[in-house]
Every structure is written in C-alpha cells, then in structure tokens.
Amino acid sequence: MIEQLEAIKNKTLTAVADASDVAALAELEIAALGRKSEFMSALKGLGALPPEERKAVGERVNAIKRELETAFAARRADLQTSAFAALAETEWLDVTMPGTKPPEGHIHLVNQAIRDITEIFSRIGFYRVRAPEVDWDWYAFESLNMPSDHPARDEWETFFMDAPENDKQGKMVLTPHTSNGQVREMERRKPPIRMIGIGKCYRRQIDVSHVPMFHQFEGLMIDKNVSVTHLRGVLDYFAQNYFGPDRKTRLRPFHFRFTEPSFEVDITCGVCHGTGKLGDGAKPAVSESAEGHESAPSGSRGVERCRLCKDGWVELGGAGMVHPNVLKAGGLDPEEWGGFAFGWGVERTMMMRTGLRIPDIREIYSGDFRFLKQF
Ligand code: FA5
C-alpha cells in the first residue's frame, strides 16, 4: 500500500512541476487529493490492516499527504508570482502620463453676460429677481400706465397668447419687456426695493439688431428721496464696471409712459472711443452698424466716420423716474415713496463691449459652433 501511495506521490509531484498555471494546478489538486482521487481510494485499504501495522502505515500516509500538499502550495505560490510578473510586463500603466482631455464646453455668451450683470449690480445691493415670461396684460402694460387703447403699446410689438382672458388682468402676453416685474416686485415686498430683474422678452421683430426672443435687465430702486442723481450714479457704476473705466454714459430726454421724466441712456462708443471718427486704416470692430448707420466717405487724411455710432455715442436702453401711477398700481403712496427704473437689452449691451465683433444680433442665437466657440 505504501508503495502504491509512493508511486502516486511521485506521479503527482511530476504533474505539479509541469502545471502551467494556477487553474490547471487547482484541477490537478482535486484530481490528486480529492475524495474520488486514486490516493483516497488507496487509503481505503488502511482499515483492513492489523492494528499494530495500522499506526506506522497511517503516519507514513499522513507524511506523504503533507508532502503533496506542501508541493501544491509551493507550486501555487510560484505560479502566482510569475503570473503577476507577466501582468506587470503586459499591463503596466504610467499614472504620471498626461491624460486625454475631453472636449470642454463653456456657458453661452448671453448667460455669461447675465452672470456678469448680476454680479456687478449685487455689489451695490441689488438682488436678482425673475418675473413671469408669460404674464397678464395688467403687469406688462396696464399697470405701467399704458391703457389698452394707448398707441404707445404698438412699439412693443407684442405676441398675445391664445388663452382665456382674466376680468381684472386682461389677456395673457409673452412679456415684451422686463418692466412687468416692477409692479410685481412692489406687490411682493415693501420698499426699500433694489431689484435687478433679468429675463426673456418677446417681440415680433427680426433684423440685424432685433431678435424675436431676447433678454432685458430691469433695475428698480424704490426708497425715500431717490433722485435722478442716484439713477446716474448706478448707471455709471454699471457702465464703468461692465465696459471699462474709460466709458461714459449720458441721459437723453425721452418718453416712456411708466417713467417721468424718461431718458434714453447712451454710452460712449467702444469702437471709436467716443470720438465718432476712425483714424488712419482703423476699422470698426463691428463690420456693419447694428443701427443701420452708413459709413461716411473717407476724409482727406484717411479719417472715417465711425460706422457704429457716427457721433461717438451708442444707445443702451431706457430709464427714468418711476411714474406716480405705477407706484399707485403697486400699492405705494407716491407722496411717500419714489424711485427710478431702467431696462436694457442684455444682447445689445453685451455687443457694445469693447473688442467684441458681433455684426448681427441674430448670430448669437444661430447655434453655430464656429461662432459660439470664439467666446
Ligand atoms: C423698454 O423695453 C422699456 N421697458 C425700458 C425701460 C425700463 C424704460 C424701465 C424705462 C424704465 P425699449 O423698447 O427701448 O424699452 O427696449 C429697451 C432695450 O431692449 C433696447 O434698447 C434694446 O437694447 C433691447 N431690445 C428691444 N427690442 C429688442 C429686440 N427685438 N431684440 C434685441 N434687443 C431688443
């Protein structure tokens, strides 16, 4: 029996040495030492031996088994070591190598402008609000001192919703300006108010300087003893922070139904630096004037009139002191409270930034990557 087991051992040891990998070795181990193995079958003869032989033979059997187990363990360790060594050769990775950079996007230039505008006004205590884009006629017009039959409404070229009217608030419209947020804010909180409302506006207009969907930012400050001087101060603060310290603003008398007095706000042109002229060989940053101005013939010394502005100024938007009727519509006593409001187009304001070459406002919404990637 011992001879038989020794023969099995030698055969197994040879096979162990020949095992090519850990899996083959595991299979071999089951075949050699498992319950159905030749080794285990041979052990069945152990019970038939006389007791005096059984002990010595038993010890020998155990020694053979330990020897085999040790051989399996040692071979397994060897095979694992060489498997890892092979892995290190074939699957090494240099973690210090620079990775492949995924293509990176950036936020749309209008959203960037909205962030910049919000940030500048927040520094002087204005908080951002959002008014509805689809609103009642009352907030878009009527409460702003524009009764339904007033011709001033025509300028807002409004889209009306095909929706039921409300007895008190009239029809629903796509807001043509952010001024619908004025009375809403007066209803929402008691003065002092310093809001900067930014949102989408809609008008039936499309050409080089108009898009049917655009954005406005609406400033509203309501407090006691607010004057035009405060309005100027706030607008200058914004202009200098957004456009640069060399740019100046001016107020031109104008007419809005919801402010009195009313102004159009102009800023010195970023192309000709407020001179209205382009020097020798200089070309305007904007290839065609958004306002449709034409270039003047070149002067004798090559001086050309600025195509964007002609006289050194470009228009930014409207402003004025809040009309008493608007304060009343918002539930405020005009004897006690007063304030100013202004509303500018985000896209147009952004286009006035020095060095930005956007010849046509429609490009902003063209969705053309070649255009968008430049910003
Ligand atoms: C208004 O909308 C007034 N609500 C502004 C205002 C607010 C005045 C508060 C007084 C007090 P206006 O229609 O001029 O005003 O529009 C203001 C600005 O919006 C324009 O100067 C322009 O920058 C922008 N804008 C108007 N229509 C368009 C359009 N179709 N596409 C792009 N920008 C536009």
Side-chain angles (χ1 to χ4, degrees), residues 31-91:
L33 295 174
R35 271 191 298 130
K36 291 178 186 160
S37 61
E38 210 183 339
F39 187 88
M40 286 302 180
S41 313
L43 287 190
K44 286 189 185 132
L46 199 64
L49 292 177
E52 56 283 5
E53 267 182 56
R54 209 184 292 160
K55 188 167 176 246
V57 174
E59 275 170 12
R60 188 74 199 110
V61 167
N62 279 338
I64 292 173
K65 196 170 175 224
R66 270 199 306 277
E67 198 179 333
L68 280 175
E69 282 167 350
T70 311
F72 272 105
R75 181 70 183 141
R76 189 178 304 112
D78 278 357
L79 286 171
Q80 273 169 349
T81 309
S82 45
F84 282 130
L87 261 188
E89 275 305 309
T90 54
E91 301 205 2

Side-chain angles (χ1 to χ4, degrees), residues 32 58 67 74 102-103 122 132 142 153 168 175 224 241 252 295 344:
E67 198 179 333
S122 73
E142 194 92 26
R153 284 179 171 224
K168 288 203 189 95
T175 50
K224 293 184 174 160
N241 280 276
R252 256 184 306 116
S295 74
W344 299 0

